[in-house]
């Protein structure tokens, strides 16, 4: 009996450690992928990691300034943009076509980044990883559009590692 209790406590401790460190590891991997992409290009850039709650990195490319927020989401998830600061994540259906996403939550970690006005010379970029199944933006109650890297999302853009080419413009 005491071995069972020790095993359960050990499993709980491991799951807490795993769940707290995995998002940080995935964010660092996404940052490293962006950095390796920038090194392969001939762009004149400077990048700096920022330690605050609003954004994660500051990037300057040829006198264009970007504030970057990294967003770690579950695989095969969908992002629904309702308005400027209300974004919704739907997940849990895996890769089954036609199945509705059973779980959803609001992306409250983005609301301060999206709601902050950094000025006219600052571009806001959200880098999502892994790539979501689809990203949609509600225009009104009955009209939606599918979002890509060139779609303006109330002054910000959303990227995945597949379309870092937006920085070359």
């Amino acid at each position: 009996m005491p071995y069972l209790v020790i095993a359960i406590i050990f499993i709980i401790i491991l799951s807490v450690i795993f769940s707290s460190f995995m998002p940080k590891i995935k964010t660092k991997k996404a940052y490293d992928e962006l950095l390796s992409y920038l090194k392969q290009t001939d762009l004149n850039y400077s990048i700096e990691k920022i330690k605050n709650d609003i954004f994660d990195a500051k990037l300057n490319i040829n006198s264009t300034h970007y504030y970057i927020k990294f967003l770690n989401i579950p695989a095969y998830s969908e992002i629904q943009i309702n308005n400027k600061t209300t974004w919704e994540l739907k997940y849990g259906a895996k890769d089954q076509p036609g199945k509705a996403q059973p779980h959803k939550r609001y992306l409250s970690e983005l609301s301060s980044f999206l709601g902050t006005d950094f000025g006219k010379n600052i571009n806001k970029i959200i880098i999502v990883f892994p790539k979501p199944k689809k990203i949609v933006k509600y225009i009104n109650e009955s009209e939606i559009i599918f979002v890509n890297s060139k779609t303006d999302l109330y002054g910000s853009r959303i990227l995945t590692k597949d379309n870092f080419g937006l920085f070359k413009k």
Side-chain angles (χ1 to χ4, degrees):
M1 184 70 165
Y3 293 116
L4 181 63
V5 172
I6 292 172
I8 291 173
I9 291 172
F10 183 71
I11 290 171
I12 291 171
I13 290 172
L14 279 179
S15 66
V16 167
I17 290 172
F18 182 76
S19 65
S20 65
F21 284 112
M22 280 309 289
K24 293 178 185 176
I25 292 170
K26 288 181 178 179
T27 301
K28 180 169 178 7
K29 183 180 177 190
Y31 177 82
D32 292 341
E33 287 178 6
L34 174 62
L35 195 58
S36 69
Y37 169 79
L38 291 170
K39 287 180 181 176
Q40 292 173 1
T41 64
D42 58 351
L43 297 171
N44 182 18
Y45 74 92
S46 67
I47 189 166
E48 173 186 2
K49 268 191 173 180
I50 304 295
K51 295 186 180 191
N52 67 26
D53 293 334
I54 298 177
F55 58 95
D56 299 320
K58 193 187 298 187
L59 174 64
N60 297 320
I61 299 176
N62 299 330
S63 72
T64 304
H65 305 290
Y66 299 95
Y67 285 178
I68 299 173
K69 180 77 174 173
F70 293 101
L71 179 62
N72 181 15
I73 59 173
Y76 305 113
S77 57
E78 301 171 0
I79 296 175
Q80 174 182 309
I81 301 160
N82 298 328
N83 61 38
K84 182 177 182 176
T85 59
T86 306
W87 291 27
E88 195 172 345
L89 177 69
K90 297 179 179 183
Y91 60 99
K94 301 291 182 204
D95 195 21
Q96 298 174 2
K99 184 175 180 186
Q101 300 285 359
H103 307 292
K104 65 180 179 179
R105 72 175 183 86
Y106 290 103
L107 294 171
S108 58
E109 62 267 29
L110 288 179
S111 61
S112 62
F113 177 71
L114 295 168
T116 304
D117 183 20
F118 297 112
K120 291 186 178 186
N121 297 335
I122 305 295
N123 297 302
K124 294 191 279 187
I125 302 288
I126 299 152
I127 297 179
V128 180
F129 56 95
K131 184 177 181 178
K133 276 201 296 191
K134 66 180 175 181
I135 304 169
V136 296
K137 176 183 173 185
Y138 273 78
I139 304 299
N140 56 37
E141 292 176 352
S142 62
E143 188 177 352
I144 63 170
I145 60 168
F146 289 95
V147 172
N148 59 35
S149 62
K150 296 178 183 172
T151 307
D152 180 33
L153 302 172
Y154 308 103
S156 62
R157 301 230 189 279
I158 192 163
L159 299 179
T160 62
K161 71 177 185 175
D162 299 337
N163 51 19
F164 284 153
L166 179 72
F167 294 119
K168 283 188 173 181
K169 64 177 181 167

